[in-house]
Amino acid sequence: MQWEFQEDAAFLALCDAFKESGESSAIEFLAHGEGAFHFQELTQNAAGEGVDLSDSDSLDDFQQEVIDTMEALCS
């Protein structure tokens, strides 16, 4: 299932928080504090949309896609 997470409220909040943080690295931002909170919310929303993130490879792929998207759209 393909899910357009870029339109999800949790991703939009994550993007806004990343912009406001002044952090230049999305991976560093996701590693702690507010970034980790918003990413967890985004993964919960993904599960609600039927995205299976139950294995570590799927979760890693999803996280990398989020990081790439953040660096492209939220910088």
Side-chain angles (χ1 to χ4, degrees):
M1 170 181 232
Q2 184 66 13
W3 176 53
E4 297 296 326
F5 68 85
Q6 301 89 340
E7 299 170 5
D8 186 85
F11 178 77
L12 297 174
L14 176 64
C15 194
D16 287 342
F18 179 56
K19 287 178 190 176
E20 292 173 8
S21 74
E23 180 70 58
S24 61
S25 168
I27 196 165
E28 292 292 326
F29 182 70
L30 290 179
H32 51 77
E34 190 172 6
F37 169 79
H38 288 299
F39 182 73
Q40 181 178 3
E41 185 177 4
L42 184 61
T43 59
Q44 290 172 348
N45 291 354
E49 292 293 327
V51 178
D52 182 9
L53 300 175
S54 60
D55 67 78
S56 61
D57 289 338
S58 297
L59 184 58
D60 289 346
D61 291 345
F62 180 69
Q63 183 178 29
Q64 188 59 54
E65 187 175 353
V66 169
I67 289 167
D68 293 344
T69 303
M70 286 175 65
E71 289 179 345
L73 300 178
C74 307
S75 297

